[in-house]
Amino acid sequence: MPLFTVSRPRSALSTANDTLTITASATKPLRIIMAKLAGADAAAAANVVVLQRSTGGTTPGGPITPEKVNPGSAAASFTVATSWAAQPTLAGGPLHRFVPNANGGIDPFVAVPGGEFSVPVGGQVSIRSEFGTSNVVPNLLIEEVD
């Protein structure tokens, strides 16, 4: 089961737009093993960011290519978007709330074995701010299940 990292350079949070949207392929589910948000501003500021299942959205853009942990693995079949013409709709409650301080604060989620967040075939998850518009750097470790 190949592992991939997903990282986005310093970017501003938005309460209306996803910072990242991860969409599983039509054939392989995903497991989110680690997700970390690090503040990337010079001054302290509070932020609350959710990792939450989502649906829909039109015309994804700003793709990020998942990086293979093992260079011998096949390319990822899931996609990662940083922009949308129309944003996905958040569904259900948050899987996790991050609270990174803008001044270098780091808030990680690291799953215990069996506690990974599952993304079903064709499913998606969004990372979006509930509160705060500071700059952050998100990093994730994602397993694509064969």
Side-chain angles (χ1 to χ4, degrees), residues 54 127 131 142:
S54 59
I127 295 177
F131 174 83
I142 299 171

Side-chain angles (χ1 to χ4, degrees), residues 28-72:
K28 296 180 182 178
L30 305 173
R31 288 187 200 131
I32 299 174
I33 297 169
M34 185 275 300
K36 177 178 69 172
L37 287 180
D41 280 337
N47 298 281
V48 178
V49 182
V50 295
L51 172 68
Q52 192 164 339
R53 289 187 172 87
S54 59
T55 60
T58 58
T59 319
I64 292 176
T65 302
E67 184 66 30
K68 298 182 263 185
V69 171
N70 177 346

